Amino acid sequence: MSDAELVLRSTRVITAEGTRAASVAVSAGTITAVLPYDASTPPGARLEDLGDDVLLPGLVDTHVHVNDPGRTEWEGFWTATRAAAAGGITTVVDMPLNSLPPTTTVEHLRTKRRVAADKAHIDVGFWGGALPDNVEDLRPLHDAGVFGFKAFLSPSGVDEFPHLDQDRLARSLAEIAGFDGLLIVHAEDPRHLDAAPRQGGPRYADFLASRPRDAEDTAVASLVAQARRLHARVHVLHLSSGDALPLIAAAKAEGVRVTVETCPHYLTLTAEEVPDGASEFKCCPPIREAANQDLLWQALADGTIDCVVTDHSPSTADLKTGDFATAWGGISGLQLSLAAVWTEARRRGHGLEDVVRWMSTRTAALVGLDRKGAIEAGRDADFAVLAPDETFTVDPAALQHRNRVTAYAGKTLHGVVKSTWLRGERVFADGGFTGPKGRLLTRGD
């Protein structure tokens, strides 16, 4: 510890070996040692005594729609990364759609990186997109450093990002498997969606009926079958249907290379509480019933679901109309994800170590960010400092998102983020921010 520049000390540090009182030494942006709480601070090192606040690894959110460039009025790298920092997130991976152009060629990736370069308050990586007509672009994008490829099995909602039918899915997945890449998939089957009733209007029950569980279940089954046949790596995005879990568990036990995520809104909000006309709750797949939510929590506990990410998908307020059929589908959650998940996790008997595993360690592992996701020597000194027993009531005006429409308005949540640190530098503290400190990450960083 003699070369340490910074020491963070807390009675509760969530380390790779568990929670304990510890002093964490940092030099040149890297954790150099995790030492006993009462270890002496070397001459010249700055000591930050955090008291009883919990020091945890910065969260890694691998499912974020920043929408920049092209739809920057919906969000943007400046506002999205500030909101993330305020919520204890130190790394986000940006989705390839809802920006113009979408990240589906190397040139489009370069455009995205140029736009993000001087706006990122935290670290940012990028997914590529798999479209029906860009198979020849997949390997170049992989070589350029994207973390994997996003595909839809049903219409995406934006014309510039069409979905894959089963033949195109097989072709793209075979190409990606050839270089052992990762395909991440919005899994809803279009045939089941087309067959579902579509009434439109303000009733949430009608919208829920239009996105049935069997649309997810069928799409997940077809994806697993393709992954099994090709020995390919696939990841199921934003799982909301508890009915798909037995199939996923069986595939994992068989050795199929499938991982699964779910989202804070599926874990903390229920269909029964959604008011009619309240399209701030609209997302696809939808928020389902409380009994279904219980199944998702059980699957997190037993490892069938690997991780929790926001699927932060904002829009301007005017697109959140009172008609669920026409309103934009997406929930903004970056700033509130840690508190929302922790509030429900603690109620269900889970600890902060579980939340860190779901929202930092496993998400970092999913995209191969070996320097993120844990407090141990050799990792980046990315931290969140959390007062887990303090509460706050969600005030949309206090959010850093560009558009402050939120399904969490008025909810009282546990867990106040006191500060967020990126490679040993404090980027957020007590409501204030430093300038942009983030780096643009590539696969292998």
Side-chain angles (χ1 to χ4, degrees):
M1 186 159 137
S2 59
D3 62 344
E5 302 162 356
L6 170 70
V7 176
L8 292 96
R9 176 178 292 162
S10 169
T11 61
R12 293 182 287 179
V13 179
I14 299 181
T15 74
E17 291 77 36
T19 302
R20 59 189 174 97
S23 292
V24 180
V26 175
S27 180
T30 298
I31 299 169
T32 56
V34 180
L35 298 169
Y37 177 81
D38 57 359
S40 59
T41 303
R46 185 173 95 253
L47 174 65
E48 291 279 343
D49 194 328
L50 306 173
D52 294 329
D53 289 340
V54 180
L55 183 68
L56 55 128
L59 303 190
V60 177
D61 190 343
T62 55
H63 194 149
V64 178
H65 295 269
V66 179
N67 306 339
D68 196 5
R71 291 189 175 97
T72 312
E73 70 275 15
W74 293 18
E75 190 60 277
F77 285 102
W78 183 274
T79 49
T81 57
R82 280 169 66 97
I89 298 167
T90 52
T91 302
V92 297
V93 186
D94 174 55
M95 282 291 165
L97 73 158
N98 298 344
S99 59
L100 295 168
T103 317
T104 52
T105 69
V106 171
E107 185 54 41
H108 292 175
L109 174 63
R110 291 190 186 112
T111 298
K112 182 72 72 84
R113 291 176 65 87
R114 283 196 300 269
V115 170
D118 61 352
K119 299 178 183 177
H121 290 76
I122 60 169
D123 286 354
V124 176
F126 302 94
W127 296 106
L131 303 184
D133 61 355
N134 82 327
V135 172
E136 69 279 2
D137 293 301
L138 300 179
R139 185 180 289 270
L141 277 165
H142 175 80
D143 293 343
V146 299
F147 286 91
F149 302 91
K150 167 85 174 275
F152 280 77
L153 300 187
S154 56
S156 72
V158 291
D159 292 341
E160 67 275 5
F161 206 97
H163 69 285
L164 303 181
D165 61 23
Q166 288 299 309
D167 288 342
R168 298 296 179 88
L169 170 65
R171 185 180 173 201
S172 294
L173 190 54
E175 175 71 9
I176 293 166
F179 49 79
D180 200 32
L182 174 65
L183 182 70
I184 64 174
V185 180
H186 180 124
E188 286 183 288
D189 183 84
R191 295 165 299 176
H192 287 274
L193 295 180
D194 289 344
R198 293 189 180 184
Q199 290 184 279
R203 294 185 68 242
Y204 186 74
D206 292 335
F207 170 65
L208 186 60
S210 75
R211 314 292 296 208
R213 295 190 205 183
D214 60 9
E216 280 191 85
D217 306 338
T218 300
V220 169
S222 67
L223 180 64
V224 165
Q226 297 272 28
R228 178 187 294 111
R229 182 176 65 84
L230 294 167
H231 193 57
R233 296 169 59 213
V234 297
H235 179 73
V236 178
L237 297 169
H238 46 51
L239 184 76
S240 78
S241 172
D243 293 346
L245 292 166
L247 182 149
I248 292 167
K252 287 188 167 193
E254 182 188 338
V256 178
R257 302 169 77 193
V258 58
T259 51
V260 185
E261 69 184 37
T262 193
C263 303
H265 39 277
Y266 301 134
L267 296 171
T268 65
L269 306 172
T270 62
E272 291 88 342
E273 69 184 280
V274 178
D276 288 345
S279 66
E280 62 268 29
F281 290 86
K282 178 182 176 180
C283 56
C284 299
I287 295 165
R288 302 192 188 276
E289 303 85 354
N292 181 82
Q293 185 181 91
D294 291 341
L295 297 176
L296 298 180
W297 277 102
Q298 291 168 20
L300 268 176
D302 67 26
T304 303
I305 295 176
D306 299 271
C307 54
V308 179
V309 296
T310 60
D311 188 12
H312 177 75
S313 185
S315 70
T316 53
D318 61 295
L319 296 180
K320 285 292 193 179
T321 68
D323 183 340
F324 276 102
T326 60
W328 178 257
I331 290 179
S332 297
L334 276 170
Q335 189 167 336
L336 300 172
S337 60
L338 172 56
V341 173
W342 169 232
T343 298
E344 185 65 13
R346 62 184 281 156
R347 188 183 75 81
R348 291 174 178 263
H350 298 288
L352 270 174
E353 290 182 11
D354 298 317
V355 175
V356 166
R357 183 171 64 256
W358 300 327
M359 301 183 77
S360 185
T361 306
R362 287 183 178 169
T363 47
L366 174 70
V367 292
L369 287 173
D370 296 336
R371 293 183 60 86
K372 310 289 187 183
I375 296 178
E376 64 181 3
R379 304 262 186 163
D380 285 347
D382 296 352
F383 308 113
V385 178
L386 185 73
D389 300 319
E390 292 187 20
T391 62
F392 66 99
T393 300
V394 176
D395 175 7
L399 298 177
Q400 297 295 322
H401 308 142
R402 176 158 291 161
N403 293 284
R404 296 168 178 174
V405 177
T406 175
Y408 298 98
K411 289 190 173 293
T412 297
L413 302 178
H414 283 83
V416 174
V417 175
K418 294 298 187 71
S419 62
T420 302
W421 300 68
L422 186 68
R423 285 182 296 278
E425 292 191 60
R426 188 162 24 208
V427 295
F428 168 80
D430 299 322
F433 300 85
T434 64
K437 302 285 188 182
R439 295 177 181 171
L440 304 185
L441 303 175
T442 59
R443 182 180 37 78
D445 283 345

